Amino acid sequence: MSSKILVVDDDVTSLDIVDLMLEGQGFSVVRATNGKSAVAGVEEADPDLILIDLMMPQMSGPEAVRQIRSKGIEVPIVAFTALDDPTVHQEAREAGCDLVVTKPCKTKDLVKGIQDLLGNS
């Protein structure tokens, strides 16, 4: 059975690219187009892992992660960001992210990080 990943990004092109990357590696992908919808739908989606963009309108990635964690959801969360800034990475980790990946990234690097978090490496 493939692992289900909730991918959260406000950019549809980024969602399409990540879908292709992950589905091509055998993962099942569920999408959310902003932090609010991710928080609202995370329990129904029941993902094995969450991949979330940090910079989104309405609700930032770190705020969405804090709210998801406050629901008692302990699945691994990977922050996905275009900002290669240690301060941004630290904020993501403090919010509850297990891994921060800077985009663009290679499929193999993203998949390796996900598999490590899921214990499938």
Side-chain angles (χ1 to χ4, degrees), residues 15-118:
L15 282 171
D16 290 343
I17 291 168
V18 172
D19 275 2
L20 288 171
M21 290 171 75
L22 296 177
E23 288 177 349
Q25 297 296 313
F27 294 103
S28 171
V29 174
V30 177
R31 296 172 146 199
T33 55
N34 60 59
K36 283 185 178 184
S37 65
V39 171
V42 68
E43 290 151 327
E44 183 180 329
D46 192 28
D48 298 302
L49 182 137
I50 299 167
L51 177 63
I52 189 166
D53 184 35
L54 293 180
M55 304 298 287
M56 293 182 289
Q58 298 179 7
M59 182 184 291
S60 72
E63 179 57 28
V65 170
R66 281 189 284 279
Q67 289 190 27
I68 288 168
R69 291 295 190 214
S70 76
K71 291 179 172 222
I73 295 170
E74 295 299 324
V75 300
I77 299 178
V78 177
F80 208 45
T81 182
L83 300 172
D84 191 14
D85 177 340
T87 305
V88 171
H89 291 218
Q90 182 63 31
E91 180 187 6
R93 290 187 187 285
E94 288 172 0
C97 292
D98 300 286
L99 176 66
V100 180
V101 176
T102 304
K103 39 180 170 173
C105 70
K106 294 183 172 154
T107 300
K108 67 177 180 137
D109 296 333
L110 178 60
V111 169
K112 170 97 172 77
I114 289 170
Q115 288 175 331
D116 287 349
L117 288 170
L118 294 173

